[in-house]
């Protein structure tokens, strides 16, 4: 069926820009309605197959309207305080990677051993993985345990690869929240530390946080949460590097040093410019 007056003018205008199947009335629908239909298609099917249907679908799936709608429907957080165009938001990346309000640390709870962590020092008997108990963190069943020699490891988070953008980091400046849990053994003294740096694309340190904790033998062995919130940091932040570790203070063979788990780095859009 050829284009005639029964189709909205919009259909005729679109046919001038795209080679479309004139027998398909789907192309006569407004973009908003087509997006609502495509919201029911699995996202990876849209990317792998939907983009191949025609040039019009390619532009629609590569645009922001479809993915912004998916973010809204599924409760995916994204900046909304001002005109979103100001931040050059990539809504497809935000929907698929979800950079805000989630833990960006890989293997945050020792469930995968030392995977995704770079071990800088593995002194004494090295890092060990142990079960945890009496900790108020959901889905956390393991921790890293240190030894009588310095045990130290690090993980660097690429904020752009995680779905954030330069404009958001430099202008909106979402709070960068870091935290983790640590404890000492009751029967052995220990020394714990954590260092977090915000770094530029050239790995220049733009801001940092440090914390240390020494616990004597027979003293507090409960889990404590160490945390910090970076706000209004300098422009140019692209990486977050977390370095942590420790050792026991009595040089006992085995794993009597501090325990560490539930390491978290999160971009928080709430009160970003505090």
């Amino acid at each position: 069926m050829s284009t005639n007056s029964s189709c909205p003018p919009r259909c005729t205008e679109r046919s001038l820009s795209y080679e479309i199947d004139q027998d398909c009335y789907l192309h006569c629908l407004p973009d908003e309605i087509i997006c609502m239909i495509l919201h029911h298609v699995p996202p990876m099917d849209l990317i792998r197959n939907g983009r191949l249907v025609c040039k019009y679908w390619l532009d629609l799936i590569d645009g922001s309207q479809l993915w912004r709608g998916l973010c809204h429907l599924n409760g995916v957080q994204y900046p909304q305080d001002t005109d979103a165009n100001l931040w050059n938001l990539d809504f497809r990346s935000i929907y698929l990677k979800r950079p805000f309000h989630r833990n960006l640390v890989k293997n945050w709870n020792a469930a995968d051993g030392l995977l995704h962590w770079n071990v800088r020092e593995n002194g004494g008997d090295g890092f060990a993985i142990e079960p945890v108990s009496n900790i108020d963190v959901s889905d956390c069943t393991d921790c890293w345990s240190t030894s009588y020699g310095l045990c130290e490891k690090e993980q660097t988070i690429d904020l752009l690869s995680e779905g954030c953008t330069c404009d958001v980091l430099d202008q909106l400046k979402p709070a960068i929240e870091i935290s983790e849990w640590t404890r000492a053994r009751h029967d052995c003294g220990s020394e714990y530390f954590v260092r977090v740096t915000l770094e530029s694309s050239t790995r220049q340190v733009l801001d940092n946080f440090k914390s240390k904790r020494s616990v004597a033998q027979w003293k507090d062995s409960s889990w404590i949460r160490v945390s910090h919130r970076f706000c209004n940091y300098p422009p140019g932040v692209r990486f977050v590097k977390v370095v942590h570790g420790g050792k026991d203070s009595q040089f006992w063979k085995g794993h009597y040093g501090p325990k560490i788990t539930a390491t978290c780095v999160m971009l928080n859009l709430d009160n970003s410019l505090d």
Side-chain angles (χ1 to χ4, degrees), residues 7-223:
C7 280
R10 184 182 185 87
C11 181
T12 304
E13 294 169 2
R14 187 175 291 159
S15 66
L16 296 176
S17 302
Y18 301 98
E19 294 182 5
I20 63 176
D21 181 357
Q22 298 296 333
D23 291 328
C24 179
Y25 282 98
L26 183 64
H27 296 286
C28 297
L29 298 174
D31 291 351
E32 294 80 2
I33 301 301
I34 297 179
C35 284
M36 291 176 64
I37 295 171
L38 294 181
H39 286 165
H40 296 278
V41 180
M44 296 312 299
D45 284 346
L46 290 174
I47 294 171
R48 293 169 181 162
N49 304 315
R51 298 173 74 251
L52 304 178
V53 171
C54 62
K55 179 66 166 57
Y56 167 57
W57 276 37
L58 173 68
D59 290 347
L60 195 64
I61 294 170
D62 284 349
S64 64
Q65 182 178 4
L66 173 69
W67 298 100
R68 183 169 186 168
L70 280 170
C71 287
H72 179 73
L73 286 173
N74 292 278
V76 177
Q77 298 286 336
Y78 62 89
Q80 301 184 56
D81 293 345
T82 59
D83 181 6
N85 292 327
L86 176 63
W87 314 118
N88 292 327
L89 296 182
D90 181 349
F91 282 97
R92 182 170 75 175
S93 181
I94 289 175
Y95 181 77
L96 295 175
K97 297 184 177 181
R98 311 195 180 196
F100 307 109
H101 298 265
R102 74 169 176 90
N103 191 355
L104 302 178
V105 176
K106 297 177 175 65
N107 187 23
W108 57 278
N109 60 357
D112 294 317
L114 293 169
L115 184 66
H116 300 300
W117 292 89
N118 174 37
V119 177
R120 297 166 48 142
E121 299 284 348
N122 211 20
D125 290 326
F127 279 103
I129 311 303
E130 298 179 352
V132 300
S133 59
N134 302 320
I135 184 172
D136 188 22
V137 180
S138 60
D139 300 322
C140 189
T141 59
D142 298 292
C143 70
W144 297 282
S145 182
T146 58
S147 190
Y148 59 89
L150 178 61
C151 295
E152 178 180 310
K153 60 187 177 68
E154 68 177 21
Q155 184 173 149
T156 299
I157 298 163
D158 184 337
L159 297 175
L160 300 187
S161 294
E162 292 295 337
C164 202
T165 65
C166 295
D167 284 346
V168 168
L169 290 167
D170 294 346
Q171 299 179 54
L172 183 61
K173 298 184 180 180
I176 301 175
E177 299 179 345
I178 66 99
S179 64
E180 67 181 13
W181 291 73
T182 182
R183 67 174 287 262
R185 286 181 60 115
H186 181 64
D187 57 357
C188 186
S190 65
E191 300 172 359
Y192 156 85
F193 73 91
V194 61
R195 299 190 300 270
V196 181
T197 53
L198 306 187
E199 302 180 359
S200 69
S201 59
T202 59
R203 309 313 294 270
Q204 176 187 359
V205 175
L206 301 178
D207 204 347
N208 71 92
F209 165 74
K210 299 178 182 179
S211 181
K212 294 182 179 180
R213 183 176 188 247
S214 296
V215 180
Q217 186 182 30
W218 311 121
K219 298 297 182 180
D220 185 16
S221 62
S222 59
W223 286 99

